[in-house]
Amino acid sequence: MSMKIEVQPLPESARKPKPTDEKALGFGKHFSDRMFIMEYESGQWRNPRIQPYAPLTLSPAAMCLHYAQEIFEGMKAYWTADGRVTLFRPQMNIARMNRSAELLQMPQVDPDLFLEALQQLVRLERDWIPRTEGCSLYIRPTMIATDPFLGVRPSETYIFYIIVGPVGAYYPRGFVPVSIMVSEKYVRAVRGGIGSCKAAANYAASLAGQVEAKKAGFDQVLWLDGVHRKYVEEVGTMNMLFVLDDTVVTAPLDGGTILPGVTRDSVLKLLRDVYKVKVEERPLPIDEVIDGAKTGRLKEAFGSGTAAIITAVSEIGYRGQRHKVGDGGVGRLTQRLYDDLVGIQYGKKPDPFEWVVRVYPE
Ligand code: COI
C-alpha cells in the first residue's frame, strides 16, 4: 500500500453519547465519532485520514449536487460471539465500488487502501458496534464529485469518505415479513443504464415507485424490467428470490439492470453448494410469480441485502390485488438462510467459504 492513513486525535468535545437502547436503533440514524476521508485532485488521492466526524464543506456548485455523480456502498461490522470484530466479504464491496466508479467516470480507489481504511476506522470505533444479535455497525463508503462547475462532464476532483453508525433492522417494524407491490408505472433501470451500480441516482429514481407502493399500503416496491415490463427485477433495497416448488429463482445479472448484491451472492452459494437446492438465475415473468401464488407453487419469497439481511415477503400486490406468499409467514428456506448467514456473520456458525475478515484484535 502506497499511502499511510493519518489518525487525528479525537477531542473529548467531539465524543457523542452512544444510543443506549439497542432494540430501538432503527436504521441509518446514528453516526459514530470518527470518519475516514481523502480528496482527489490532479489525478491522485491525497491526505487519507481518520478525523472527527464533521460536516463537509462543499461549493454550492459542486457537481455531485447538480448531476448526481455520486456512488456509495453498504457494509456491516459485527462483534462475534467470541469477542472479535469482523467484516463480511469486504473485498466484494470494494470491487463493486470500483465498478460503480468506472461506470460513472469516477476515479478508482486502491483496494488495499480502501480495506485498510475500513479496518482502521472500524477498529477505532468498535465501542459503537452494538452487541445485540441482528444489530451491527453499518458502514457507508461514499464518493462524490466536487468540481464547482455547472457544465456536464466528469468532475476532476472528488471526496471519498466512510462514515459508520450502529443499526438494527432496516424495516421499521423489525425483522418481520414485508409486503411488496409491483410498479407498472415506473421503472428503476434499463439495459445500458446504471442499474447495476450503487449510484445515488438509482435511489432517487426509486422514490416515486416507493411512495406509490406505500400509498397503496405496501412496504416496498417490486420493480419489473424496463424493456418488456414483464420480468421481475428487484425491490428498492434488496435483491429478490422466489421459491417455486423446490427451485429458487432470481433475476440474472447479465442484463446490467440488477444490483449484484453481496448477500445475494452469499445466498446463492449457500443454496447451491451447501443446501444442494436447485437455483435458476433467469428472467422470471411476474405472471409466473402471481400464478404461483394462486396455485400454491410459490412456497416462499424473500429479499436479500446488507441492510435488509434476509427479509421474508408475505404479500405481493399486482394490478390492484393482494396475493399471499405461502402462509404469509417466514418460510423454511428463508429462515434457514437467515439463521446460517447471521450465524456466520456473528461467528456462531462455521464459515465454510471464509467470508469473514477479522478487524479486531489485529
Ligand atoms: C444496503 O443494503 O446496504 C444498501 O445499501 C441498501 C440501502 C440503500 C439501505
Side-chain angles (χ1 to χ4, degrees):
M1 190 183 59
S2 45
M3 270 185 292
K4 192 169 158 20
I5 299 170
E6 177 205 352
V7 179
Q8 297 182 351
L10 183 72
E12 206 48 51
S13 60
R15 284 179 206 269
K16 291 177 279 202
K18 298 182 181 63
T20 45
D21 183 1
E22 293 193 347
K23 295 247 164 3
L25 283 173
F27 180 87
K29 297 189 284 193
H30 305 282
F31 304 99
S32 79
D33 295 331
R34 296 176 175 91
M35 65 193 285
F36 173 86
I37 188 164
M38 61 182 176
E39 292 88 13
Y40 184 89
E41 59 173 72
S42 308
Q44 48 180 305
W45 289 108
R46 291 164 192 271
N47 200 11
R49 61 201 182 274
I50 292 174
Q51 63 171 44
Y53 183 98
L56 301 172
T57 305
L58 286 181
S59 162
M63 293 184 80
C64 62
L65 302 175
H66 299 273
Y67 306 126
Q69 204 189 8
E70 166 165 14
I71 54 174
F72 69 95
E73 270 303 320
M75 336 172 44
K76 283 176 172 172
Y78 312 86
W79 270 118
T80 63
D82 60 354
R84 290 171 298 137
V85 174
T86 60
L87 298 171
F88 185 72
R89 309 187 76 185
Q91 298 88 348
M92 285 200 76
N93 296 87
I94 292 170
R96 188 172 64 186
M97 185 120 183
N98 276 333
R99 283 199 306 276
S100 299
E102 203 178 323
L103 205 55
L104 268 77
Q105 302 296 305
M106 302 169 86
Q108 297 287 296
V109 176
D110 171 11
D112 292 336
L113 175 66
F114 195 151
L115 185 60
E116 185 63 29
L118 288 166
Q119 289 179 313
Q120 285 202 32
L121 180 62
V122 168
R123 205 176 290 137
L124 282 164
E125 298 299 71
R126 62 185 181 274
D127 288 348
W128 282 87
I129 308 176
R131 303 257 182 179
T132 309
E133 190 169 304
C135 299
S136 55
L137 190 76
Y138 190 74
I139 306 171
R140 176 52 63 91
T142 309
M143 194 194 297
I144 59 174
T146 51
D147 277 9
F149 179 59
L150 296 187
V152 179
R153 58 146 174 80
S155 179
E156 286 165 2
T157 61
Y158 296 86
I159 296 177
F160 173 83
Y161 61 91
I162 307 173
I163 52 175
V164 301
V167 300
Y170 179 74
Y171 293 107
R173 289 188 285 114
F175 292 105
V176 295
V178 296
S179 58
I180 58 179
M181 188 188 96
V182 176
S183 180
E184 292 196 87
K185 191 164 165 193
Y186 305 104
V187 294
R188 172 185 172 275
V190 288
R191 271 175 185 259
I194 57 171
S196 66
C197 73
K198 226 158 163 61
N202 284 329
Y203 295 81
S206 77
L207 296 176
Q210 186 184 317
V211 169
E212 182 194 36
K214 278 246 151 67
K215 279 193 180 143
F218 293 84
D219 294 306
Q220 280 279 330
V221 51
L222 174 59
W223 299 108
L224 297 182
D225 78 281
V227 176
H228 308 94
R229 307 282 190 107
K230 176 176 172 188
Y231 300 105
V232 171
E233 297 229 305
E234 64 185 73
V235 160
T237 57
M238 341 186 262
N239 293 119
M240 271 306 299
L241 298 97
F242 299 85
V243 186
L244 285 156
D245 294 324
D246 54 4
T247 303
V248 178
V249 187
T250 192
L253 301 179
D254 52 15
T257 56
I258 307 271
L259 192 82
V262 176
T263 314
R264 175 190 183 279
D265 184 81
S266 310
V267 160
L268 295 184
K269 284 206 169 62
L270 285 172
L271 288 167
R272 284 186 173 127
D273 299 347
V274 182
Y275 304 175
K276 313 284 184 205
V277 167
K278 201 165 149 216
V279 173
E280 290 174 0
E281 290 177 77
R282 64 161 168 96
L284 174 61
I286 183 62
D287 287 345
E288 191 178 336
V289 174
I290 300 301
D291 281 353
K294 286 182 184 155
T295 59
R297 270 193 72 209
L298 180 66
K299 308 285 186 225
E300 304 178 38
F302 59 93
S304 68
T306 297
I309 315 179
I310 301 289
T311 298
V313 167
S314 55
E315 255 190 325
I316 303 173
Y318 185 50
R319 300 201 165 146
Q321 302 222 331
R322 303 183 84 105
H323 302 273
K324 208 159 158 195
V325 179
D327 64 4
V330 180
R332 194 183 52 84
L333 206 49
T334 306
Q335 187 68 52
R336 184 174 177 200
L337 282 163
Y338 177 90
D339 291 344
D340 284 346
L341 202 60
V342 165
I344 294 170
Q345 290 168 338
Y346 289 83
K348 291 188 175 163
K349 294 206 172 191
D351 174 19
F353 302 100
E354 299 186 2
W355 284 335
V356 168
V357 172
R358 193 176 71 194
V359 167
Y360 176 87
E362 265 184 87

